[in-house]
Amino acid sequence: MTAVGGPRRALVTGAASGVGRACVAALRERSYAVAALDLEPADMEADHIGSCDVSDIEGVTAAVEEARAALGGLDAAAHCAGIHPERAANLHELDPQTWERIVAVNLTGSYAFTRAVLPALIETRGALVLVASISGSQPRPGTAAYAASKAGVTALARAAALEYAHLGVRVNSVSPGWIDTAMAAAALGRPSTRERIERDIPAGRAATPEDVASVIVWLLSDEARYVTGADIVVDGGLAISALAQRS
């Protein structure tokens, strides 16, 4: 369990930007001690900062162990690292290298992180959140590798939830829609495209990183102590609106 009298301890990947960076800030606001991992670590307010390529399974294990030692244990973990294809490509035009890289980072990276962090979370009966996407259930044309990898993340979280619930470990995923981050800048950075996208979102705008981080932090907290195996959609109503339009 958490050290007596000490803060809860959390580990965040993809922590240098976007949702990961927002998670670090939100956790620290709630008095967590936070370890931040990223492929290219940036200046940020964290108790431990480390470098980690999530597609490198051995490297992930080493980075998690280093973070665990730096904080004296882990009570919570959020896996926010991920990539999106630079351009849309239908399946017959999707080169194997792009497929392999996206699956390696998004899906194998989630496996590597989950595998590495579980022993620490078992010790503390902690919680883990993996970041998936609504693309996993409602893919857009030209994004097969991304959609398949994110569908796998949701399934991985559910499988882990089943396997570790009896040990007191909770595992959930979140599935965002459009988020106003660098990853979405190619689309949201064009005013006409942004207007079209946001017109389809019932909430009327793309999410901020903080919108998604707040849900992740809630899932990691004791307020969500009876929630495991869930996938929380954070998309401003986009997915359900798309389903309604098809019916």
Side-chain angles (χ1 to χ4, degrees):
M1 303 297 290
T2 306
V4 176
R8 289 172 62 85
R9 302 150 299 186
L11 173 58
V12 180
T13 68
S17 62
V19 172
R21 192 177 186 94
C23 278
V24 171
L27 287 163
R28 286 181 61 83
E29 286 177 3
R30 290 159 178 79
S31 300
Y32 281 74
V34 181
L37 300 180
D38 201 278
L39 180 61
E40 297 181 358
D43 291 336
M44 68 185 89
E45 294 294 326
D47 300 278
H48 169 79
I49 299 174
S51 177
C52 180
D53 178 350
V54 296
S55 67
D56 176 0
I57 296 174
E58 292 183 0
V60 170
T61 300
V64 169
E65 283 303 309
E66 184 179 331
R68 179 185 186 179
L71 299 186
L74 294 172
D75 305 286
H79 181 56
C80 306
I83 59 173
H84 192 277
E86 295 181 0
R87 64 180 184 86
N90 288 338
L91 270 170
H92 76 285
E93 300 170 324
L94 179 61
D95 63 88
Q97 294 77 17
T98 299
W99 170 274
E100 290 171 0
R101 181 59 182 163
I102 290 173
V103 171
V105 172
N106 293 351
L107 183 53
T108 301
S110 295
Y111 153 76
F113 183 73
T114 301
R115 176 177 179 270
V117 80
L118 275 169
L121 298 179
I122 290 169
E123 285 185 357
T124 60
R125 301 175 70 85
L128 167 63
V129 175
L130 305 179
V131 176
S133 169
I134 63 168
S135 293
S137 59
Q138 297 194 13
R140 290 179 291 113
T143 63
Y146 183 76
S149 69
K150 290 299 189 176
V153 171
T154 302
L156 175 67
R158 287 174 172 166
L162 285 172
E163 292 177 5
Y164 295 92
H166 72 287
L167 296 173
V169 176
R170 296 186 300 104
V171 184
N172 295 287
S173 60
V174 296
S175 286
W178 287 98
I179 314 174
D180 208 347
T181 64
M183 188 181 294
L188 294 178
R190 298 195 297 269
S192 60
T193 304
R194 185 186 191 105
E195 181 181 357
R196 175 180 57 79
I197 289 170
E198 295 189 329
R199 188 168 57 243
D200 291 337
I201 301 172
R205 61 175 178 85
T208 66
E210 291 74 19
D211 290 329
V212 182
S214 65
V215 177
I216 293 171
V217 172
W218 175 76
L219 285 170
L220 294 176
S221 75
D222 289 339
E223 293 177 359
R225 58 188 173 275
Y226 199 60
V227 180
T228 194
D231 179 59
I232 308 298
V233 175
V234 189
D235 70 345
L238 178 60
I240 196 168
S241 174
L243 287 172
Q245 291 173 20
R246 294 173 187 170
S247 62

